[in-house]
Amino acid sequence: LHAFHAQPGSNDSDIDWVRFVANSSSPVVLRTSAAGTAPQPNTRLTLFAADGVTVLAANDDLSATSTFSRIQASSLTAGATY
């Protein structure tokens, strides 16, 4: 759990990168959510390969009624992923 966000009331986009080492034998689920009763943010997730350029998966809105994002990847190459 980590809080990444832009300042409330700001029109600035907030882009955060997280690096993790993928194990090719384990599925990975990445998702966004809001803490407590916080307003629902409009998030976008993009999963990049080790080169930091190749897009492996992306999601902008979980559904028509949810602006949270979710990615499920089941066959990652072992190594750094962003």
Side-chain angles (χ1 to χ4, degrees):
L1 176 65
H2 192 72
F4 296 112
H5 57 82
Q7 291 295 328
S10 170
N11 290 327
D12 294 335
S13 294
D14 183 42
I15 300 172
D16 299 295
W17 286 74
V18 176
R19 177 184 180 270
F20 64 96
V21 177
N23 177 341
S24 62
S25 64
S26 299
V28 174
V29 176
L30 307 170
R31 65 185 178 96
T32 61
S33 62
T37 60
Q40 183 171 316
N42 186 2
T43 63
R44 178 176 23 192
L45 286 173
T46 306
L47 182 63
F48 291 94
D51 63 10
V53 176
T54 304
V55 175
L56 302 175
N59 180 259
D60 188 11
D61 291 328
L62 188 57
S63 69
T65 60
S66 174
T67 56
F68 292 124
S69 303
R70 184 177 186 271
I71 292 175
Q72 182 169 344
S74 58
S75 54
L76 297 175
T77 301
T81 306
Y82 299 90

